[in-house]
Amino acid sequence: MLVISSSCKLCCMSKSLTAWLSIGLLVALTNNAVSQTSHPNIVLIYADDLGYGDTSCYGATAVATPHIDRIASEGIRFTDGHAPAATCTPSRYAMLTGQYAWRQQGTGIAKGDASAIIQPGRVTLASMLHDAGYKTGVVGKWHLGLGPAEGADWNGKIAPGPLEIGFDYCFLIPATGDRVPCVYVENHHVVDLDPDDPIHVSFKTKVGNEPTGAENPDLLKMHPSHGHDRTIVNGISRIGYMTGGHRARWVDEEMADRITSKAVAYIEENKDDPFFLFFSLHDIHVPRVPHPRFVGTTAMGPRGDAIAQTDWCTGEILAALDRLNLTDNTIVLFTSDNGPVVDDGYQDEAAEKLGDHQPAGPLRGGKYSSFEGGTRVPFVLRWPAKVKANQTSDALVCQIDLLHSFATLTGQTLAAEAGPDSHNLMAALLGEDSQGRDHLVQQARTLSLRQGDWKYLEPGRGPAINKNTNTEVGVAPQAQLYNLRADLGEQKNLADQHPQRVDKMKATLGRVRSESSSR
C-alpha cells in the first residue's frame, strides 16, 4: 500500500495548480494576442495632390521624405496602389463608402458650402469600425460637405457631418484651403467663433465688404494664376466669398502644426482602446504655404517645401506611436487622394522651380487625368505585428477596398448593399497575395478600366489638355488601349492592334457601370 504524505499531497497540488495557472496564462495571452492582431489600431494618413514620384521611396531626389520612407522600409511599398478617382471629393467618398463615386450624383469636387454628401445611416469605413469596437476620429481636410441640403449654419450646430456617419470625433478643414470658409470645425461647431462676428458665405454673389483678390491685388502675399480671386484671408484670395468669423480664421502657415497636434492628441487620448484615425492632410494642395521652418528646405519652392512638411506630419504620428508603445500593433497606411498637379491656381513658382523632379514619376498625366498619373499614387503600409518589412508589391490595390478589407480583418460582415464596389484585399495588403484586384475602374473626366497589365480608356469629348493646369487629361475621341507592363508611360495606343481586347474590356466596363455593385 502506497502512503502519500501530506507534504507530498501539497507538493502535487501545488504543481497541478501551477500547471493550470500556466495553461490559463498561456490561453489568456494567446487570446489577447489574437484580439490585438484582429483589432489593431488603424491610422490612415491621407495626403492631398501628392504624386507617385513625389516621395523619395518612389524615386524622388529633389526632396527627402524619410518618415514616409520609414513606413515603406518597415512594411510594404505598393507599386500599383490607387486612389479611386483623379480628384479629391470622389476619392474620399469612394474610400469611406466603398462605392465608386461615379455611381452617385453630387460627388464631384465639392464647393466650400456643400451640404453633407454622405448621409446618416450609410455604412462607412468609420461606422463599420465603430461597430467593431473602435474609437473613430478624423482630423484635417474633409471636403465631403457639411450640414443639411439648405446649407450649413456656420454660426450654430453644423450637422450632419462626420459624427453622423460613424466618427466619434472630428477636427476639420471644411473643404480645402483655397475655398471659404477659412475656419476649423471641431465636432459640430466652428472653433473660436465670436458670436458677435457671425460668418456669412456665398459662392454666387459677394457678401459684406471684405476685400477680394480681383479688386485689391495689392493686399496679396500670394497671387492667383487662374481663379482664386475672391475674398482675401491671411493675404491669400480664395474661391468664394466670406465675411465675419475673423477670430476663427486659420493662418495657413500654422495649419499643418494645428492639425498634427490634434491628430497626436487623439492618439494619446485613445491609446488604451482600438482606434481608427483618418488623418487627412491639407498638403500639398494649394495654397501651398508651409510653416517658416520648412521654407527653403528644398529647391522647388513652396510645393517642394510642402512635401517636406507632409513628411514631418507623418513623422510626428510615427513618433507618437513609438512613444506610446503602439507601433507594433498599429496599421499605418500612407497614401494620397489623387495624382499631382503643379500649377493649380496660384503663382507659387511650382512650375518654374520643378527642375528635373517628376511629380508623377514615370507615369503620364496627373490630377484630373485618366492616365495612370491621375490615380496611381504613393501607397505604403506598415504593421510590424503581421507584415514583414522591406517588401515591394505589384498587386493592384485601391483605397475603395479598405472598407471590405478591414471589415474582414475585424470579423465584421458587410450587408449586401454596403460597400458595393469594395473588395476584400486583406491578403494583398498583408503582402500574402501578389495579384490584388482582377479589375479596377478609374474615374476622371471619363472612365478607364484596368485588367492585369492592360488599360482601356473609353472615348470622350473635350480638350486633351487642361489649359489651367497644363495636365494631359487622357480624353480622346477614340478608344485607347495600353499594355502597362511594356508601356508604363501610356505612349503607344494599341487599340487598333487588339480590337477584340478593346471590345471585351469595353463590355466589361459597360457591365460594371450598368450594375449597382461590382462586389
Side-chain angles (χ1 to χ4, degrees):
M1 177 177 176
L2 179 63
V3 179
I4 300 176
S5 69
S6 59
S7 61
C8 287
K9 289 181 180 179
L10 289 173
C11 179
C12 290
M13 290 174 60
S14 176
K15 289 180 179 179
S16 177
L17 180 59
T18 300
W20 280 109
L21 287 174
S22 298
I23 292 171
L25 179 60
L26 179 61
V27 170
L29 290 173
T30 301
N31 289 340
N32 185 52
V34 170
S35 175
Q36 285 185 337
T37 54
S38 63
H39 284 70
N41 304 311
I42 300 171
V43 177
L44 171 60
I45 305 176
Y46 212 55
D48 198 319
D49 294 354
L50 193 70
Y52 188 84
D54 273 331
T55 63
S56 43
C57 58
Y58 282 88
T61 57
V63 59
T65 55
H67 301 297
I68 299 169
D69 299 352
R70 178 188 169 192
I71 300 172
S73 65
E74 295 179 357
I76 307 179
R77 181 178 68 91
F78 290 90
T79 63
D80 206 358
H82 289 260
T87 50
C88 45
T89 298
S91 280
R92 293 160 191 272
Y93 171 88
M95 185 270 291
L96 286 175
T97 66
Q99 181 188 49
Y100 287 129
W102 47 264
R103 295 194 192 278
Q104 180 67 42
Q105 289 186 343
T107 58
I109 300 174
K111 295 192 302 180
D113 62 349
S115 59
I117 295 172
I118 304 174
Q119 289 297 302
R122 184 74 180 271
V123 174
T124 67
L125 179 59
S127 69
M128 180 276 295
L129 289 173
H130 187 276
D131 290 345
Y134 279 71
K135 300 295 180 63
T136 54
V138 54
V139 174
K141 176 183 169 180
W142 184 238
H143 209 189
L144 286 166
L146 293 167
E150 58 270 23
D153 177 7
W154 301 107
N155 304 296
K157 182 178 180 179
I158 302 169
L163 303 192
E164 284 67 48
I165 59 170
F167 288 100
D168 298 312
Y169 172 78
C170 67
F171 185 91
L172 308 176
I173 300 162
T176 59
D178 59 346
R179 287 170 172 80
V180 300
C182 300
V183 295
Y184 299 111
V185 172
E186 188 166 29
N187 295 328
H188 286 133
H189 296 88
V190 170
V191 177
D192 294 332
L193 178 64
D194 181 354
D196 294 327
D197 184 25
I199 296 170
H200 298 282
V201 170
S202 174
F203 282 77
K204 296 179 180 179
T205 58
K206 187 176 180 179
V207 293
N209 57 3
E210 299 269 350
T212 68
E215 300 166 340
N216 308 94
D218 55 302
L219 299 179
L220 297 175
K221 63 183 181 184
M222 176 180 286
H223 291 261
S225 57
H226 51 85
H228 300 83
D229 61 355
R230 304 309 183 191
T231 298
I232 299 172
V233 176
N234 188 36
I236 303 168
S237 49
R238 319 283 168 153
I239 299 172
Y241 298 101
M242 173 183 179
T243 186
H246 290 82
R247 190 175 72 183
R249 296 184 182 188
W250 65 52
V251 176
D252 300 78
E253 292 86 345
E254 299 172 359
M255 183 178 287
D257 282 16
R258 187 76 181 271
I259 63 174
T260 301
S261 67
K262 288 290 183 180
V264 170
Y266 181 82
I267 293 172
E268 292 171 341
E269 291 164 7
N270 294 280
K271 61 183 175 60
D272 295 326
D273 297 291
F275 65 81
F276 166 53
L277 170 62
F278 176 24
F279 183 30
S280 182
L281 306 179
H282 182 265
D283 289 326
I284 59 174
H285 196 283
V286 296
R288 302 170 184 128
V289 193
H291 191 278
R293 68 179 181 277
F294 295 103
V295 174
T297 55
T298 73
M300 291 191 292
R303 188 177 185 276
D305 298 344
I307 296 174
Q309 182 169 263
T310 296
D311 187 68
W312 172 83
C313 296
T314 303
E316 291 298 290
I317 298 299
L318 300 183
L321 295 173
D322 289 343
R323 185 176 68 253
L324 298 170
N325 296 316
L326 298 174
T327 297
D328 192 54
N329 199 44
T330 298
I331 295 175
V332 178
L333 172 59
F334 179 96
T335 187
S336 179
D337 65 350
N338 50 247
V341 60
V342 180
D343 178 356
D344 205 20
Y346 292 97
Q347 299 176 38
D348 61 2
E349 299 184 295
E352 294 85 345
K353 293 187 174 182
L354 196 60
D356 295 331
H357 180 71
Q358 296 180 304
L363 308 177
R364 188 176 182 183
K367 185 178 183 180
Y368 311 113
S369 177
S370 294
F371 291 123
E372 284 292 283
T375 65
R376 194 185 294 211
V377 291
F379 199 114
V380 292
L381 182 146
R382 184 191 77 176
W383 183 14
K386 291 283 288 184
V387 174
K388 295 179 181 178
N390 292 308
Q391 295 188 67
T392 298
S393 173
D394 297 330
L396 178 60
V397 296
C398 183
Q399 297 158 12
I400 199 171
D401 298 311
L402 297 182
L403 173 59
H404 196 173
S405 300
F406 289 151
T408 300
L409 175 67
T410 56
Q412 306 300 297
T413 300
L414 294 180
E417 70 278 5
D421 299 299
S422 187
H423 295 216
N424 175 21
L425 292 189
M426 205 62 233
L429 295 176
L430 296 178
E432 299 168 355
D433 168 36
S434 61
Q435 299 303 312
R437 273 180 162 262
D438 60 6
H439 75 279
L440 175 67
V441 178
Q442 299 162 280
Q443 177 183 354
R445 189 181 300 171
T446 57
L447 298 183
S448 308
L449 177 69
R450 279 287 310 278
Q451 283 186 313
D453 296 330
W454 293 94
K455 180 171 178 180
Y456 165 76
L457 285 70
E458 67 178 357
R461 296 180 179 180
I465 303 289
N466 183 319
K467 66 178 182 179
N468 287 331
T469 64
N470 196 33
T471 302
E472 290 185 286
V473 295
V475 173
Q478 71 280 356
Q480 299 175 73
L481 179 72
Y482 300 99
N483 185 306
L484 299 180
R485 181 173 294 276
D487 179 23
L488 185 58
E490 296 171 279
Q491 297 297 320
K492 188 176 181 180
N493 183 2
L494 301 176
D496 290 341
Q497 289 97 309
H498 298 275
Q500 291 182 332
R501 185 175 292 276
V502 168
D503 290 343
K504 184 178 179 180
M505 294 185 74
K506 177 182 177 182
T508 299
L509 179 58
R511 184 172 65 253
V512 174
R513 178 188 267 126
S514 64
E515 296 173 349
S516 60
S517 172
S518 63
R519 174 162 72 88

